[in-house]
Amino acid sequence: VTVKNAPFKGKGTEDDPYLISSKKDLQVMRDLINDEDSSSSFRECVYLQTTDIDLEDEEWIPIGKRAFDGTETSRLFAGHFKGTIQIFLKPAIIENLAVEGTVNSTDISVGGICGEICGKNGIIRNCSFIGNVSGGEQAVGGVVGYIWQSGSVIDCYHNGTVTSNGGRIIGGVVGNIHTGGSEDSNTVLIQNCYHVGTLSGASDAAGTIAGIVSVDTQHESIITIENCYALQGEGNAIGSGKANTQDITLLKSALMKAAASSLGSAYKENTDSSFNGGYPIFNWQNSVVGDCNNDGVFTIADIVMVQKWLLNDGTVLDNWKAADLYGDNVINVFDLVLMKQMIVNIK
């Protein structure tokens, strides 16, 4: 049995992604990818989360499955997702995602954005997790729990505590990196990332960037960690093992807050001390009030976008929070009126 009809708006392509607009949509997406009868039709599609989704503290089954005896299955997620859930990747992309909350698990491979990248070059890019991450014995990370064989974490940050309930292998950005498990060339890249917060509960292999880096020397592997930052006083950048390292720096808090230009073009200085502790944020975070199309300025184009969205013509608000002028986490006609008043007052 092959299920082909999707219960989402869109076609699942780059030009017309499936729209995930509710907790129910996310649950259906997960079940379709995890089920052997429907996985082949949905695991390689493109998904766009169009609104914040609150999982309401319910126990969550991850999206994507693989056997932990080393045998891959046909139900690994291999598409492209912009959303807020731990996902097993092969080869897939999660990008432009900011998550704030708490992740708690008793299992291994636990991360704020992704539990595990396994296989071939999964990418986590332009993502952040603000909050505490707690997992089992090993492979607990602020952004990614475990990278196996190949993968990249680029332009990402974590702000919060990372805790191992089993006493070992945690990292501020990535918990555990292991390569060389296949005859293919294996490459891991951690680039332009930072961690602020604390590491807790690990007596072995706790690193502010990566907890442990291990390589099977029988196969070719290149592990590079470059241009990454963490706060002073939380221990070594790498808890155990070796990688090709460049410009890994431990900074005092004041210098970290001013480090946006050093982290790269994805970041900007955070002028709001109440958000993310004042540490660097992405260019699309804390945007200009009213700038719901994310072009860096508030213009009549933003008002037109909100008006079309309210008319339900299929318009997607790229940055709906910027349009929430009324401050009630709901976009409605009150926000539209306030936007019109604001544009009149702009000289």
Side-chain angles (χ1 to χ4, degrees):
V1 177
T2 300
V3 179
K4 294 185 178 180
N5 295 323
F8 317 113
K9 292 182 179 179
K11 299 179 181 179
T13 64
E14 285 285 351
D15 294 333
D16 190 12
Y18 288 137
L19 302 182
I20 305 300
S21 304
S22 67
K23 176 182 174 182
K24 180 63 176 179
D25 285 347
L26 200 60
Q27 291 170 327
V28 171
M29 172 193 168
R30 173 197 63 196
D31 294 342
L32 287 170
I33 292 172
N34 289 359
D35 187 273
E36 61 182 354
D37 290 334
S38 55
S39 184
S40 61
S41 297
F42 293 98
R43 74 186 193 94
E44 297 183 6
C45 296
V46 180
Y47 299 86
L48 173 64
Q49 184 174 313
T50 63
T51 185
D52 287 350
I53 294 177
D54 186 352
L55 295 182
E56 301 171 328
D57 294 327
E58 82 167 39
E59 186 173 351
W60 182 261
I61 299 172
I63 299 170
K65 290 186 175 183
R66 80 168 177 89
F68 278 90
D69 60 1
T71 303
E72 295 185 3
T73 76
S74 60
R75 286 176 283 171
L76 292 170
F77 180 71
H80 187 162
F81 183 79
K82 300 178 183 180
T84 61
I85 291 298
Q86 296 183 44
I87 297 179
F88 293 110
L89 303 173
K90 181 208 174 183
I93 300 172
I94 301 177
E95 65 178 347
N96 300 339
L97 166 65
V99 184
E100 186 170 358
T102 302
V103 173
N104 291 312
S105 176
T106 58
D107 210 338
I108 62 173
S109 297
V110 179
I113 299 296
C114 173
E116 181 174 326
I117 299 176
C118 58
K120 300 180 180 179
N121 297 316
I123 299 173
I124 310 293
R125 182 171 58 215
N126 257 20
C127 293
S128 66
F129 186 78
I130 302 173
N132 299 331
V133 180
S134 176
E137 180 181 359
Q138 57 181 308
V140 186
V143 178
V144 177
Y146 183 31
I147 297 179
W148 176 61
Q149 292 187 2
S150 298
S152 299
V153 181
I154 302 170
D155 297 330
C156 294
Y157 70 82
H158 171 245
N159 186 342
T161 296
V162 181
T163 302
S164 167
N165 296 316
R168 58 192 302 266
I169 308 182
I170 60 175
V173 178
V174 180
N176 192 342
I177 300 172
H178 178 76
T179 67
S182 90
E183 294 183 359
D184 296 332
S185 177
N186 299 290
T187 302
V188 173
L189 175 63
I190 313 299
Q191 183 183 64
N192 302 345
C193 296
Y194 78 86
H195 161 75
V196 294
T198 59
L199 305 173
S200 175
S203 58
D204 176 38
T208 57
I209 304 300
I212 192 169
V213 176
S214 58
V215 178
D216 179 353
T217 57
Q218 294 180 354
H219 302 105
E220 181 181 359
S221 297
I222 300 174
I223 301 174
T224 302
I225 301 176
E226 63 182 12
N227 198 41
C228 292
Y229 297 79
L231 289 182
Q232 287 181 349
E234 290 303 319
N236 297 326
I238 300 175
S240 178
K242 295 182 179 180
N244 301 311
T245 58
Q246 299 178 29
D247 299 326
I248 297 181
T249 309
L250 302 180
L251 299 174
K252 293 182 178 180
S253 178
L255 291 176
M256 178 72 82
K257 291 179 180 180
S261 60
S262 299
L263 280 162
S265 60
Y267 294 90
K268 69 177 181 180
E269 184 179 355
N270 183 2
T271 59
D272 183 359
S273 61
S274 67
F275 178 68
N276 193 36
Y279 293 101
I281 55 177
F282 299 125
N283 287 312
W284 45 268
Q285 289 183 290
N286 270 16
S287 58
V288 175
V289 173
D291 177 28
C292 54
N293 65 2
N294 268 335
D295 64 357
V297 292
F298 171 59
T299 66
I300 192 67
D302 300 293
I303 296 176
V304 172
M305 174 178 277
V306 171
Q307 187 166 304
K308 287 183 176 181
W309 184 84
L310 289 172
L311 292 173
N312 197 28
D313 73 341
T315 297
V316 177
L317 289 180
D318 294 334
N319 183 15
W320 70 268
K321 286 189 175 181
D324 182 24
L325 273 68
Y326 198 71
D328 59 356
N329 290 322
V330 176
I331 305 301
N332 52 33
V333 68
F334 296 107
D335 300 296
L336 184 62
V337 170
L338 290 174
M339 292 179 77
K340 289 181 178 180
Q341 291 177 348
M342 190 166 71
I343 200 72
V344 170
N345 293 328
I346 294 176
K347 296 181 180 180

